[in-house]
Amino acid sequence: MTPEKLVCLAAIAGVHGVRGQVTVKTFTEEPGSVAAYGPLQDEEGNSYRLRLKGRKKGMLIAEIEGVKDRNAAEVLKGKRLYVKRDALPQPEDSEEFYFADLIGLEARDNADRLLGHVSAVYNFGAGDLLEVRDETGGERLLPFTRDVVPEIDLDQGRVLVDPPPETEAGSGQEDEEKNAPKT
């Protein structure tokens, strides 16, 4: 049985005031829609119902049901808040998808060789990256661009990948060490 896919919609960034309100960083297209999907949950499965109260410096201010004071709100700082994938609307365009839909897809090259499975999607500030994990547990990060990932087929459960040479299996630290001059 596979666990239900969860999509991270927000994170509790801090505390606002003394009555238990929090500041929330949202990852939704429209920040205010974060509360429209019903209760959110954290990684442990705890449920949180948000009531939006305002905005502050690009974040939302929210009350969380059951949180009445600053001390209780402080404990929640850093919590990531998720919703079940099936609670989100289906993308309108066939070219649109949620990153959560990519997790678990086969990553195949142009010769239809299995490179591994998509295990995560990251963005460290310089663009999106796909993490592909092979059968041995080896991982590689690939730029998530149309050149490197020219095709996504959710129905077939795969992505076509044309990895740049520097991300090919076997390239990396161990190759650098092998080719380093001996002293």
Side-chain angles (χ1 to χ4, degrees):
M1 182 173 187
T2 54
E4 292 186 76
K5 287 189 177 179
L6 297 176
V7 177
C8 184
L9 296 186
I12 299 174
V15 177
H16 180 78
V18 295
R19 294 192 178 123
Q21 293 182 343
V22 294
T23 54
V24 178
K25 177 178 177 55
T26 65
F27 308 120
T28 55
E29 187 173 15
E30 172 54 44
S33 70
V34 71
Y37 300 106
L40 303 174
Q41 67 183 59
D42 63 16
E43 288 94 349
E44 292 84 36
N46 300 311
S47 183
Y48 302 91
R49 187 174 300 275
L50 302 181
R51 188 169 341 139
L52 303 181
K53 304 305 276 180
R55 294 177 188 254
K56 172 187 171 187
K57 297 183 183 177
M59 290 196 226
L60 299 176
I61 298 171
E63 289 178 348
I64 298 177
E65 191 174 283
V67 176
K68 300 294 181 198
D69 62 44
R70 185 176 183 88
N71 291 338
E74 281 282 349
V75 173
L76 301 176
K77 204 161 123 178
K79 290 268 184 198
R80 295 175 69 82
L81 303 176
Y82 299 84
V83 68
K84 291 178 182 168
R85 167 61 182 91
D86 60 9
L88 297 172
Q90 288 299 320
E92 294 176 17
D93 184 339
S94 64
E95 291 281 314
E96 292 181 355
F97 50 85
Y98 294 101
F99 284 168
D101 294 339
L102 302 177
I103 307 302
L105 296 184
E106 290 183 344
R108 294 193 166 269
D109 65 11
N110 290 324
D112 202 34
R113 289 184 300 248
L114 179 65
L115 302 176
H117 291 81
V118 177
S119 56
V121 182
Y122 299 112
N123 188 316
F124 301 112
D128 296 322
L129 298 168
L130 284 186
E131 180 182 75
V132 175
R133 186 175 304 225
D134 65 26
E135 293 77 34
T136 67
E139 301 169 349
R140 67 173 109 174
L141 291 176
L142 301 171
F144 190 24
T145 63
R146 202 169 281 279
D147 287 341
V148 176
V149 186
E151 183 182 320
I152 298 168
D153 190 336
L154 295 175
D155 294 331
Q156 294 295 314
R158 69 179 196 85
V159 294
L160 178 64
V161 175
D162 185 13
E166 64 271 14
T167 65
E168 287 295 328
S171 70
Q173 186 69 27
E174 51 288 336
D175 285 346
E176 290 174 22
E177 290 171 3
K178 217 181 337 179
N179 297 325
K182 307 277 189 260
T183 55

